[in-house]
Amino acid sequence: MALHTDKISVETSETSKIDTVDFNNLDFGRVFTDHMFVCDYEDGKWQNPKVMPYQAMTFDPSARVFHYGQAVFEGMKAYKDDEGKVFLFRPKLNFERINKSSARLAMPAFPEDYFFEGLEILLKLDNDWIKPGVGNSLYLRPFVIATEPAISASPANSYRFMIICSPAKSYYNSAVRVLIADHYSRSANGGVGAAKAAGNYAAQFYPTSLALERGFQQVVWTDADSHTLLEEAGTMNVFFRVNDKLITAPTSDRILDGVTRKSIIQLAEDLGITCDVRPVSVAEIKEAAKDGSLKEIFGAGTAAVISPISAFQHQDELFEISGVDAVDSYAKLFKQALLNIQHNLSDDKHGWRYEVK
Ligand SMILES: Cc1ncc(COP(=O)(O)O)c(C=O)c1O
């Protein structure tokens, strides 16, 4: 483990932008709080960690991130309860995942103490940006980029780790229509699909724009070899409810190991709902849609929490899913259960809440 002994320095912003923000009409990811956390990797160690006013930065045009996409990120949220206590949800998993992503992109691991101390200082300074109330949150975006100025195609020697924060309401609240991929792929065996690598997202934009032109908001990716197995959506893992059973694909080196997915699998077990974690074929889901046993499909991820799917198209067949608005939908059940835990409204028997004191 690299040495890291510097204390986090803090420079506070002289003014706040908060009064210019309409918290009832937030466009996801466009408004940022007053502060950010920055730490640089130089000479083989993470150093000079600081919390400072949010601001633009300059980078050398030859910084390797611009040429080779050496960049990884995370997505997590802070929540506030009615007494003003602030919580993160299973943040250790995000910390571990960013380092797993970094390892896959030949980038150095970030120290756990800096990650959590930086977050805590930031959340204290920008506390007023975290609004109480279910559905409100502060989206946190830790990320690492290769900053070394040199356009040779090899891992950089210098990096910048940052955390920026953006107030959010859960988005994709209305049901989405999805297209099942039968040509393009998001990831390959042995590739970087399981990492939150920036390039994974850029690679989805074009096929997703083609889907949008056809009236579908998201693509559900299938395995690159045969396009017969359902894997995950753009920023969400996917669950299928067939009769009263849930099915979701196993994680692999193609699929992101989502925190929300993991939590739903545990909540299902707590509630006595069977959740099969196994390869899910396009054919079986189409069959279930035809014979009426397919009750729901939903996506699960930090940003949207749970996103119900109202229709899916595969090649030239379109299937509408009727159970989306049912009062006893699993999508509603799990969304409420997760929100209640996140906002300190229910018991937390697995110790998922992390209070920021
Ligand atoms: C590709 C992909 N799959 C799934 C997820 C859901 O993961 P999580 O529940 O940890 O947000 C995300 C979002 O981070 C994602 O980008």
Side-chain angles (χ1 to χ4, degrees):
M1 173 66 80
L3 290 173
H4 53 277
T5 48
D6 299 351
K7 203 173 158 337
I8 299 179
S9 67
V10 180
E11 183 198 339
T12 54
S13 173
E14 280 171 19
T15 54
S16 174
K17 295 171 292 205
I18 198 164
D19 291 338
T20 65
V21 177
D22 178 359
F23 281 84
N24 293 316
N25 290 298
L26 290 166
D27 214 0
F28 183 81
R30 287 186 186 271
V31 171
F32 296 92
T33 61
D34 294 321
H35 298 91
M36 61 186 184
F37 176 53
V38 182
C39 185
D40 287 323
Y41 184 85
E42 300 280 354
D43 303 326
K45 64 172 191 168
W46 288 101
Q47 48 187 293
N48 195 16
K50 50 182 183 280
V51 171
M52 59 193 283
Y54 185 93
Q55 60 195 267
M57 297 188 142
T58 54
F59 294 96
D60 195 286
S62 67
R64 290 193 198 191
V65 63
F66 301 136
H67 305 273
Y68 308 113
Q70 227 190 340
V72 299
F73 69 98
E74 264 309 316
M76 50 204 292
K77 283 178 172 174
Y79 311 88
K80 191 177 269 179
D81 73 4
D82 289 337
E83 289 169 19
K85 288 191 200 150
V86 173
F87 299 93
L88 298 169
F89 182 70
R90 311 188 76 180
K92 184 100 191 272
L93 295 178
N94 298 95
F95 165 72
E96 288 166 355
R97 195 168 64 185
I98 200 166
N99 280 343
K100 194 174 154 211
S101 300
S102 289
R104 180 62 185 81
L105 272 83
M107 300 163 80
F110 194 68
E112 183 168 357
D113 50 354
Y114 279 177
F115 186 89
F116 282 94
E117 281 167 34
L119 260 179
E120 297 200 7
I121 297 172
L122 206 49
L123 292 175
K124 261 174 230 147
L125 285 177
D126 287 339
N127 182 289
D128 289 347
W129 292 79
I130 317 169
K131 299 294 177 195
V134 170
N136 295 324
S137 63
L138 186 66
Y139 184 81
L140 310 170
R141 168 54 58 88
F143 63 106
V144 193
I145 53 170
T147 49
E148 188 186 5
I151 53 166
S152 59
S154 58
N157 287 315
S158 53
Y159 296 89
R160 179 159 290 176
F161 173 93
M162 301 180 66
I163 303 177
I164 54 176
C165 316
S166 177
K169 295 227 170 230
S170 33
Y171 72 128
Y172 300 145
N173 276 329
S174 50
V176 294
R177 300 168 74 82
V178 300
L179 189 63
I180 307 230
D182 65 355
H183 172 69
Y184 292 101
S185 302
R186 173 187 177 274
S187 63
N189 292 332
V192 293
K196 263 183 98 69
N200 284 342
Y201 298 81
Q204 299 183 71
F205 294 164
Y206 177 65
T208 306
S209 72
L210 296 181
L212 268 175
E213 278 170 16
R214 296 171 61 188
F216 301 96
Q217 292 83 35
Q218 296 264 319
V219 174
V220 173
W221 300 102
T222 48
D223 66 296
D225 288 340
S226 66
H227 295 295
T228 58
L229 299 175
L230 293 156
E231 304 224 299
E232 64 175 327
T235 56
M236 299 185 291
N237 296 108
V238 183
F239 286 80
F240 303 87
R241 174 180 176 181
V242 176
N243 291 322
D244 285 338
K245 191 195 262 193
L246 276 178
I247 316 172
T248 194
T251 53
S252 67
D253 55 11
R254 297 189 303 263
I255 299 183
L256 194 84
D257 187 4
V259 176
T260 318
R261 170 187 178 279
K262 223 192 263 295
S263 307
I264 290 170
I265 293 171
Q266 180 63 58
L267 288 175
E269 190 184 321
D270 296 350
L271 293 165
I273 295 170
T274 305
C275 181
D276 285 351
V277 179
R278 60 160 176 83
V280 194
S281 74
V282 179
E284 71 176 292
I285 295 303
K286 281 167 68 171
E287 209 40 56
K290 283 177 191 160
D291 71 20
S293 57
L294 179 69
K295 306 293 183 205
E296 291 175 67
I297 307 180
F298 57 85
T302 298
V305 191
I306 302 266
S307 185
I309 291 171
S310 58
F312 70 96
Q313 169 109 13
H314 179 244
Q315 294 167 342
D316 54 5
E317 290 179 282
L318 176 68
F319 299 88
E320 304 282 345
I321 304 164
S322 57
V324 166
D325 293 320
V327 276
D328 61 350
S329 95
Y330 283 179
K332 285 185 189 145
L333 178 75
F334 287 112
K335 183 164 188 171
Q336 202 53 52
L338 283 167
L339 287 169
N340 285 346
I341 297 172
Q342 291 164 342
H343 289 267
N344 195 23
L345 294 170
S346 64
D347 284 350
D348 177 26
K349 72 177 200 185
H350 299 290
W352 290 344
R353 275 192 298 263
Y354 173 104
E355 189 174 351
V356 179
K357 293 209 171 112

